[in-house]
Amino acid sequence: NPQALPRGIAWPELCDEVHRQGGVAIVAHPYRWGQDFDGLLARHQPQFDGVEMMSKNMDADQRRRIAALQAKHPEWACLGNSDSHELETLGCCYTEFDAVIRTTADLVAAIRQRKGKPKQRSRCPSW
């Protein structure tokens, strides 16, 4: 229920509300735009469930930094997604799950159980 989330909610409270509603909190592109994600993480200490490890909007340096971050947080699920704004890159990155996903509850459970693996299609344009 996004209406239960006030504008400007702090990360810890956001994660708590997402968990209260039965969802998972995923870190999306933590190092894009040069943000000090490590500092933000240390300062706010949110309870994330996973991290976006691969998307078409991440360069090799960002992917390397995210892999190092995930190594510090092995409890986080590793996810990939398109994050696409162009038709030619739609589906380039995705998460392959070692689980049957038929419902939102199945997806949440698979993420919590770290059943996903980020993938990249070979047919995608390089970036």
Side-chain angles (χ1 to χ4, degrees):
N1 177 12
Q3 286 74 30
L5 305 173
R7 186 177 189 95
I9 188 171
W11 284 2
E13 289 79 18
L14 174 62
C15 292
D16 289 347
E17 179 60 25
V18 167
H19 293 142
R20 189 188 68 69
Q21 291 187 34
V24 287
I26 307 300
V27 178
H29 41 71
Y31 295 108
R32 262 174 76 185
W33 304 297
Q35 69 181 349
D36 178 20
F37 184 77
D38 296 319
L40 292 167
L41 190 62
R43 191 166 39 256
H44 296 285
Q45 300 182 351
Q47 297 300 307
F48 290 120
D49 301 294
V51 62
E52 177 187 53
M53 304 254 332
M54 187 177 293
S55 97
K56 75 127 201 123
N57 292 314
M58 292 178 185
D59 62 23
D61 180 60
Q62 289 172 352
R63 289 181 183 190
R64 179 192 55 75
R65 293 176 69 195
I66 293 167
L69 174 68
Q70 201 281 327
K72 294 177 188 174
H73 296 279
E75 72 278 10
W76 289 356
C78 301
L79 304 164
N81 77 71
S82 291
D83 194 12
S84 183
H85 298 258
E86 299 92 25
L87 186 58
E88 61 272 6
T89 58
L90 187 64
C92 281
C93 297
Y94 60 98
T95 304
E96 183 175 274
F97 288 97
D98 182 21
V100 175
I101 310 283
R102 291 197 175 104
T103 66
T104 303
D106 291 343
L107 177 60
V108 167
I111 292 171
R112 284 186 178 147
Q113 296 167 13
R114 295 183 304 281
K115 299 257 185 190
K117 183 174 181 180
K119 299 277 191 164
Q120 179 178 328
R121 297 191 194 286
S122 60
R123 65 167 171 71
C124 295
S126 60
W127 50 87

